[in-house]
Amino acid sequence: MAANDEQTSTQGEVPERRTQFADLIRRRRSELNESLDVFARKAVDRASDTRVTRGWIYRLETGEPVTPPVYEELRALASACELPVEQLQDAAGQQFHGVDPLKSGSSEATAYVRKLDRVPADQRDRLLRLIDTLVPPEE
């Protein structure tokens, strides 16, 4: 859990605290120019009616310990962020479990993803739409 990030290692060092997921949520809410209340009202998974509370989002954004989100909560947050759930899964895996999504894929996929970051935003959007037509996103 996130609370364990603060523990001291045997050498007396405090390990690096991961914040990829919190940073993504905070940044996206800012980009959407939404208050915490508005954002939390949008954080609903329509399939399961799972909701993410304002308090949980606040604690996440301010660096307080939170319980890692389950998949339905990730879908709810993806809805509020207007982002693909896979993007939130990757960031949550990094923050809460130390998983590097690029290392878990094939070397070919990793190379493509790393190149994608260098593609201009307008071309990246067109490329992602093309990929979605070839391999539709999973629901």
Side-chain angles (χ1 to χ4, degrees):
M1 290 180 67
N4 293 336
D5 290 345
E6 298 291 330
Q7 292 180 350
T8 305
S9 69
T10 55
Q11 290 85 15
E13 301 170 8
V14 175
E16 178 185 346
R17 184 156 188 233
R18 296 181 180 103
T19 61
Q20 293 90 338
F21 186 69
D23 293 343
L24 173 63
I25 298 297
R26 188 181 316 103
R27 183 184 74 244
R28 190 60 185 143
R29 187 170 69 80
S30 175
E31 290 170 354
L32 293 169
N33 196 29
E34 292 178 347
S35 70
L36 194 53
D37 290 324
V38 169
F39 187 81
R41 280 195 298 272
K42 289 175 45 182
V44 178
D45 174 32
R46 303 282 179 222
S48 67
D49 202 36
T50 299
R51 299 170 186 275
V52 178
T53 67
R54 178 192 187 283
W56 188 92
I57 298 167
Y58 174 81
R59 288 189 304 277
L60 175 75
E61 287 188 358
T62 58
E64 295 178 40
V66 294
T67 303
V70 297
Y71 185 69
E72 292 79 11
E73 292 165 332
L74 287 173
R75 284 195 316 217
L77 289 164
S79 177
C81 288
E82 301 174 14
L83 292 173
V85 70
E86 295 86 0
Q87 190 171 351
L88 277 75
Q89 282 178 303
D90 286 347
Q94 289 176 302
Q95 179 166 331
F96 296 111
H97 306 292
V99 175
D100 182 349
L102 294 181
K103 289 183 181 175
S104 62
S106 71
S107 59
E108 184 178 21
T110 301
Y112 286 128
V113 170
R114 292 195 191 282
K115 285 182 182 181
L116 185 61
D117 285 335
R118 297 191 316 247
V119 174
D122 63 324
Q123 292 177 356
R124 187 176 332 136
D125 290 341
R126 289 188 300 192
L127 180 59
L128 292 174
R129 283 195 303 273
L130 172 64
I131 291 170
D132 283 344
T133 64
L134 298 171
V135 183
E138 294 180 14
E139 294 295 324

